[in-house]
Amino acid sequence: MIRRLGLAAVLASLAVPMLASSEAVAQRRGGKEGQPTREQYQAMGTPISQQEKTFPLGASWSVVALNGKPVQDRRATLMVDMNLRGTGFGGCNTFSAAAYPLRQQGFAVGPIALTKRSCDKGMLEFEKAFLLALRATSKWDLVSGRLVLKGGAGEVTLSRSL
């Protein structure tokens, strides 16, 4: 019986620091080695991490720029619904794919299913560039009310549409 109580006391002493918030533990220790505490950050006027942005699910977007070039004579759209399904129009064909907003404004797009309509060469080239940039997207951001998707194959800037 004494042995069990001794074991329980050891386990309890190990569990108490885990139950304390990491912030309180860091304050007691004076922060991690070489890093200031929360109070020291506030005293320096340094902003503590900003709240993470939420991806706008269910909103319709139209492409306004592709790789930094304005898109005026082409029409392409994107919508990511609540089921994490990205659908839209690439300029010639409609498409759909799994689209996953991730933590820290990451973004992943699965394989794209595409209709096979025939269009002029210029439209097909635009569509290919748009879909390649979309498929390679790894980060997203909301900048001045516009959705910006960035990845290894380029950058797509979208404006909210009706």
Side-chain angles (χ1 to χ4, degrees):
M1 180 74 161
I2 294 174
R3 194 176 200 180
R4 286 185 191 164
L5 289 175
L7 182 58
V10 169
L11 290 174
S13 68
L14 292 173
V16 169
M18 285 189 253
L19 295 175
S21 73
S22 60
E23 189 174 302
V25 172
Q27 287 176 354
R28 270 184 283 169
R29 291 185 193 154
K32 293 180 183 174
E33 289 183 36
Q35 292 182 351
T37 63
R38 184 177 191 87
E39 287 77 23
Q40 290 168 334
Y41 268 117
Q42 289 172 336
M44 291 186 285
T46 307
I48 300 169
S49 64
Q50 294 178 349
Q51 187 175 17
E52 192 168 327
K53 295 179 182 179
T54 302
F55 190 87
L57 295 174
S60 294
W61 301 90
S62 295
V63 175
V64 293
L66 181 61
N67 297 323
K69 298 176 186 170
V71 174
Q72 296 171 348
D73 58 336
R74 310 274 190 232
R75 192 181 131 240
T77 63
L78 172 68
M79 184 180 89
V80 179
D81 65 20
M82 300 298 181
N83 295 320
L84 304 179
R85 193 83 179 133
T87 57
F89 180 69
C92 181
N93 293 286
T94 57
F95 67 90
S96 68
Y100 302 99
L102 306 169
R103 287 185 179 168
Q104 299 174 351
Q105 293 180 252
F107 196 73
V109 177
I112 296 175
L114 187 65
T115 58
K116 295 185 178 183
R117 293 182 52 201
S118 60
C119 295
D120 67 76
K121 188 176 178 180
M123 187 65 73
L124 287 174
E125 287 175 4
F126 167 78
E127 182 175 77
K128 182 179 178 181
F130 166 59
L131 294 176
L132 280 172
L134 180 64
R135 178 71 169 100
T137 298
S138 58
K139 292 284 186 185
W140 69 272
D141 198 4
L142 286 173
V143 180
S144 302
R146 292 188 170 181
L147 178 64
V148 179
L149 304 175
K150 297 178 184 180
E155 180 178 306
V156 180
T157 304
L158 301 109
S159 182
R160 198 129 195 200
S161 60
L162 299 176

